[in-house]
Each structure stands twice: as structure tokens, then as C-alpha cells.
Amino acid sequence: MLGADEELGDWRRTCYSTDVTPELEGKDVIIFGRLASVREQGGITFLVLQDMKGIVQATVHKDRSTPALLEKVKSLKQYSLIGIKGSVKSILKAPHGAEVVPSEIRVLDEPRKRLPFDPYGRTEQGIDKRLDLRMVDLLRPRSQAIFRVRSVALNATREFLHGEGFIEVNTPKIIASATEGGSALFPLLYYDKEAFLAQSPQLFKEQLACVFEKVFEIGSIFRAEQFRTLKHLSEATSVDVEQAYVTYRDVMELLERMISHVIESLNSKCKDELSTLQVRLEPLKPPLKRITYDEVLKVVEKEGVKVEWGEDLSTPALKVCSRLFQGYHFIIDWPTSSKAFYLKPKSDNPELCESFDFMYGSVELASGGSRISNRKDLSRRIREQGLNPKSFEYHLRMFDYGVPPHAGWGLGFDRLVMVFTGVENIREAVLFPRDPQRLTP
Ligand code: ATP
Ligand code: MG
């Protein structure tokens, strides 16, 4: 049959594009992928096939091929999904030093519409246009590189935490009440009740740390803030860690060792991707700089930026910080009033709490701290933050049964991927981003 929609039949891939090397000289292979380009020159048709590993060249010679094959090649459309059966031939100029000489080609599907942009082209399209047709956008080498880096970073994160003896948990994303204050929640109808999408697994991971001692979760967090920034999404991926019998100092060390491990892993497993993205990841050498909130206020004031004590750091203040403390660093010991209710005030100065933000330049990557572990203090902090302890009764009651000292953090994984891949917009680092303007695809 000619044209599109041929069957796979009994064809199965024998190797990937990158396996087509001189060592396979003379061997018969079956390869599959998308036709990135088709070009005729001097009686030879050059096909470039792209699969999950890379690209491979196939050449069809006019004077050495069957009429059926030549006719098939003439009808091939760029971007079609095809299978090629053929033999491998060494050729210096081809990618990986070899090409496939087809004996048969099957067209499994072909585009029925013109692609709105050429994923293999050099012109960079605007992000909105690309996100509207994300599948096509993901064919771009840059997009491919970002999500391969993301996958390796995710795996390295899991590997590290498992290696440290943490167990991975999954907590509900449909919840009854807020954990970070009431304003930024997405409400939903849960049968006949009102419920919300979870802003963070905070209270669940604290309960679990009381039993399993070392837990982590990698999952979605939902924030209903009305923003339009390059660093916020309505749905983000968070790496959450909680550990018993430690303080914020210990979990900061854990975090910097984890980032160091992930960078090492990327440098060894993602050389091609990092070079496509033109980024260099410097190895991390813990301990990172730890600057107190009070010090930050002093140094930014010297630079002419005033922040009222107790306020969060403004964008101009963070800009100054990113200039003074480049790269990864911690800002520690925040005012208790500026942080969530579950953070533990310092015993020698309860105006401050045992807390930190983990930064890369002016980007906040993670927040964490030691937690309050007794009911009376926690209820008081809930009231001080203008929340109702009654809505937290399901959580507060666990404190009646014994809670160890514990600490932890939540790391915005999409923001970390931004840093690793050097992208400016968080939407580049998320496959199908959600923001106030975008709910599809
Ligand atoms: P920000 O001040 O940047 O809005 P936050 O302090 O409200 O962040 P936390 O509640 O501390 O955020 O959440 C822990 C981490 O999760 C943050 O450090 C950040 O990396 C990530 N994060 C939080 N909100 C978002 C969001 N809307 N989009 C993407 N990542 C987020
Ligand atoms: Mg924070």
C-alpha cells in the first residue's frame, strides 16, 4: 500500500538512531521515528529520521532501488512517522558514522495539516504559540533537552533521598482546610461539601514524620494566587521533606547535599542536553553561605533599599541580594510573623523563627524550618495568623499522642529545573503549565 496509515505488522525496532554505527556494517535493522527532513540531491534522497535517542540518516539511490521503494520515497512528507527496514553502511559524513540503506519503508502516519512552526527550524517562536501546540513544540531540541534534564534531576533527587533512608509517601491533594493561610486556595465541590486543592503536603508530612521519621513526597501543589510572573504557576511540583529528631540546620545540610548530588548526576548524564542548552553547572561545594534576615536588611539598606522589619523581602531587595550573594545561598532566621504558623520560634528570641529560604540569586527555590511540636504553641500561632484552630482540629489532635521535634522543607522543583536549564520562564520547564490564563492543553 502507498501513502499513510500502514500497519506496524510484525515490524519491531531492532535499534535506535544512535545505535546505527560502523560496528553494524552490513547488518539488517528496523528503525522507527519521525521524518525530520527529506531532500533529493543528484539522484539520492536523504532522509533524516528522529527518534527518542537522536537522529539517523537513510539514503535511497535512484539507480539501486526498486520502483516501489522509489515511488514510496517520492510520496514521503516531512514529519511523517515512519519505519525503515534496511542495511547499515559506514559513511564518514553521516551522524554516528553510518547510515541505513532502506529496502522497505512503512508510513505509519503523516501530518494532515501544515505544522504552525518548524520544530527543527532556527526561528524561535513565542512561548504562547508553542504552548498551544506543546506536542509539536516538544520536538524542538531545546525543549527535548529541558525535559530530559528534568527527568534526570527528578531521578537523582529520588535516588539521593532513598539513599539517605527516606521513604516516599503520597498524601491527598483534596483537602478540607488551608495550610498556608486561607486566600490562595482553589475550592472545589466534594460531593455535597466544599473542599480545596492542597497548597502543600505540610501537615500530612509532619504527621508521617512522627511515625516514619524520614519522609519525602514529590507531587503537585496548587496556588490560586492572581499572578502573572515568570516564576509562579497555579500548579507546581514540589519536593517535600520532613524529618524527626533534627532541626532546621540539619535539613539545610541535607538540602545542599541533595542539590550537590543532583548537579553531579546532571553533569555526568546530561552532557549533550546541557550543551544544547548552553549551560554549565558548577559543582556545588557545601556549606553554602547562610545570611540572616537581619543581615540582609542591613546590607540592602546600605544599597539604598529599605525593608520594614517583619516584611517579606521585596523584589528590589532580592535584586540587591542576588547581586551581593550570587548563586545558591540560604537566608535564615526570619521574623516569626512573616512565616507560616507551624514554624518554630527561636527559644532565645521568639520574634524570630528557626526558618530558611533557599535561594538562587533572587529566585526562592525552597522554604523550610524547624516545626512547632506542641499543641498549645501551635494553636496560639494559628490564632495569631488570623486562622481558626477549629479548622485544624484534625491535625492538632495528633499532638495529644506525642510528637518528636522535627524539621523539613518544600522545594519548588520547576524553579530548580529553571536554574539547571537556564530558562527565564517557569513555563518552559513544565510540560503543560497552568496559570491564571491557561487551562489547556
Ligand atoms: P513565593 O514567595 O516565591 O511566591 P512561597 O514562599 O509562597 O513562594 P512556599 O510556600 O514557601 O512558597 O513554597 C515552597 C516552594 O515552592 C517555594 O520556595 C517555590 O520554590 C515553590 N513554589 C511556591 N509557590 C509556587 C508557585 N506558585 N509556582 C511555582 N513554584 C512555587
Ligand atoms: Mg517560601
Side-chain angles (χ1 to χ4, degrees), residues 90-121:
S90 301
I91 177 153
L92 218 56
K93 279 193 201 147
H96 323 291
E99 62 174 14
V100 176
V101 178
S103 55
E104 195 184 339
I105 294 178
R106 288 187 183 171
V107 179
L108 306 171
D109 198 14
E110 59 184 19
R112 280 158 185 82
K113 277 192 175 171
R114 241 177 81 94
L115 268 66
F117 54 88
D118 177 10
Y120 308 118

Side-chain angles (χ1 to χ4, degrees), residues 61-133:
H61 290 250
K62 210 168 162 186
D63 50 1
R64 288 185 229 151
S65 309
T66 63
L69 181 64
L70 290 174
E71 196 154 331
K72 173 67 75 60
V73 167
K74 228 199 275 172
S75 70
L76 284 178
K77 287 189 192 158
Q78 194 189 14
Y79 310 125
S80 294
L81 296 150
I82 66 174
I84 299 178
K85 190 185 252 184
S87 59
V88 174
K89 191 172 145 225
S90 301
I91 177 153
L92 218 56
K93 279 193 201 147
H96 323 291
E99 62 174 14
V100 176
V101 178
S103 55
E104 195 184 339
I105 294 178
R106 288 187 183 171
V107 179
L108 306 171
D109 198 14
E110 59 184 19
R112 280 158 185 82
K113 277 192 175 171
R114 241 177 81 94
L115 268 66
F117 54 88
D118 177 10
Y120 308 118
R122 277 164 205 267
T123 6
E124 183 87 349
Q125 303 290 325
I127 184 152
D128 279 318
K129 190 168 174 183
R130 289 194 281 112
L131 288 178
D132 284 343
L133 217 62

Side-chain angles (χ1 to χ4, degrees), residues 67-336:
L69 181 64
L70 290 174
E71 196 154 331
K72 173 67 75 60
V73 167
K74 228 199 275 172
S75 70
L76 284 178
K77 287 189 192 158
Q78 194 189 14
Y79 310 125
S80 294
L81 296 150
I82 66 174
I84 299 178
K85 190 185 252 184
S87 59
V88 174
K89 191 172 145 225
S90 301
I91 177 153
L92 218 56
K93 279 193 201 147
H96 323 291
E99 62 174 14
V100 176
V101 178
S103 55
E104 195 184 339
I105 294 178
R106 288 187 183 171
V107 179
L108 306 171
D109 198 14
E110 59 184 19
R112 280 158 185 82
K113 277 192 175 171
R114 241 177 81 94
L115 268 66
F117 54 88
D118 177 10
Y120 308 118
R122 277 164 205 267
T123 6
E124 183 87 349
Q125 303 290 325
I127 184 152
D128 279 318
K129 190 168 174 183
R130 289 194 281 112
L131 288 178
D132 284 343
L133 217 62
R134 189 56 144 161
M135 193 195 85
V136 174
D137 175 57
L138 292 174
L139 294 170
R140 293 163 61 242
R142 263 187 73 79
S143 300
Q144 292 255 329
I146 292 170
F147 291 100
R148 286 175 197 282
V149 165
R150 184 173 167 122
S151 166
V152 170
L154 197 55
N155 191 40
T157 300
R158 280 210 165 84
E159 194 177 73
F160 173 84
L161 290 170
H162 280 300
E164 292 284 320
F166 282 76
I167 78 157
E168 184 165 4
V169 298
N170 301 102
T171 66
K173 301 302 156 215
I174 304 177
I175 56 160
S177 62
T179 45
E180 316 281 320
S183 61
L185 286 165
F186 286 110
L188 61 96
L189 187 64
Y190 188 67
Y191 304 102
D192 57 348
K193 289 192 195 66
E194 183 179 54
F196 302 95
L197 290 176
Q199 287 166 305
S200 106
Q202 184 61 34
L203 305 183
F204 296 106
K205 66 175 180 171
E206 286 193 51
Q207 297 198 18
L208 294 171
C210 294
V211 181
F212 296 108
E213 299 185 6
K214 290 171 149 187
V215 296
F216 77 99
E217 174 163 17
I218 301 179
S220 284
I221 56 169
F222 301 90
R223 307 278 168 112
E225 292 142 7
Q226 277 302 338
F227 51 76
R228 176 82 192 169
T229 80
L230 299 178
K231 293 175 199 129
H232 289 88
L233 290 175
S234 313
E235 178 173 4
T237 298
S238 167
V239 179
D240 269 273
V241 154
E242 203 66 30
Q243 185 174 354
Y245 310 110
V246 294
T247 71
Y248 72 137
R249 303 241 171 226
D250 304 290
V251 292
M252 279 159 72
E253 275 172 30
L254 179 80
L255 178 52
E256 59 190 5
R257 279 192 295 117
M258 185 181 96
I259 301 295
S260 167
H261 171 84
V262 176
I263 289 176
E264 237 172 68
S265 199
L266 289 174
N267 278 331
S268 88
K269 295 182 184 153
C270 288
K271 287 196 180 75
D272 291 348
E273 288 80 1
L274 295 173
S275 120
T276 300
L277 295 164
Q278 296 174 304
V279 290
R280 263 176 63 97
L281 299 180
E282 293 300 329
L284 199 81
K285 293 187 202 77
L288 295 169
K289 212 171 177 41
R290 284 138 166 83
I291 308 130
T292 67
Y293 172 88
D294 285 350
E295 281 163 4
V296 168
L297 257 50
K298 268 190 218 141
V299 298
V300 301
E301 190 163 356
K302 264 200 203 133
E303 301 286 317
V305 179
K306 176 95 184 130
V307 177
E308 282 302 320
W309 195 90
E311 293 291 304
D312 209 345
L313 299 177
S314 60
T315 310
L318 286 172
K319 283 248 164 68
V320 173
C321 285
S322 71
R323 190 155 44 75
L324 297 176
F325 321 112
Q326 286 168 3
Y328 297 101
H329 60 275
F330 290 99
I331 301 177
I332 63 168
D333 299 346
W334 289 73
T336 306

